[in-house]
Amino acid sequence: MGYFPTQTYQIKRNITGHTGDDGNWVPAQEKLIATGEFDIQPKGGKKRATALQTEYESDFKGFADMEDIIFEVGYSEIKKGDILTDASGKTYTIVFEGKWDDHYEFDLKEW
């Protein structure tokens, strides 16, 4: 993003078991949907969450420019519930995503 240091993250989504196009059962799996450069920052959200009366918990904020995200075939956006993991194995769940004109902003919960 230019202003803050970024790190490469994989974005995965839990896919429920389902019947495939060929009629065979496809078991539940965690699927890679994108790779991108994200700026992840801790946040002091207790006061904010109380004031806004939010019902989710988050420890961190994340930011990514659209141009810094490479989606896998068949995927074009990041959603609530997706999982971000860095090269060291640090993992976050997206509890809120905001998609703006040129970037995403996320509220994240660390595992």
Side-chain angles (χ1 to χ4, degrees):
M1 291 192 55
Y3 300 111
F4 301 102
T6 61
Q7 186 171 351
T8 301
Y9 285 82
Q10 289 188 327
I11 300 98
K12 296 180 181 177
R13 183 170 295 155
N14 289 320
I15 308 295
T16 58
H18 61 279
T19 303
D21 294 337
D22 60 2
N24 291 321
W25 180 251
V26 178
Q29 59 184 300
E30 190 176 83
K31 182 137 176 97
L32 177 67
I33 63 160
T35 304
E37 293 294 317
F38 290 82
D39 169 34
I40 307 293
Q41 302 176 23
K43 76 174 211 180
K46 292 192 188 305
K47 185 174 181 180
R48 175 180 172 266
T50 300
L52 296 176
Q53 298 179 359
T54 54
E55 296 183 17
Y56 58 85
E57 276 187 50
S58 61
D59 307 308
F60 293 84
K61 283 293 268 187
F63 305 90
D65 284 333
M66 297 291 188
E67 65 187 30
D68 293 336
I69 301 171
I70 301 168
F71 287 96
E72 297 294 312
V73 174
Y75 297 94
S76 61
E77 61 185 8
I78 299 170
K79 298 180 179 181
K80 178 180 175 181
D82 287 347
I83 301 160
L84 274 68
T85 305
D86 71 13
S88 71
K90 188 175 257 190
T91 303
Y92 307 88
T93 299
I94 297 172
V95 295
F96 176 80
E97 96 287 336
K99 184 177 179 183
W100 306 103
D101 291 336
D102 61 350
H103 71 283
Y104 274 101
E105 292 182 22
F106 304 100
D107 283 347
L108 305 166
K109 181 73 177 167
E110 185 176 12
W111 288 18

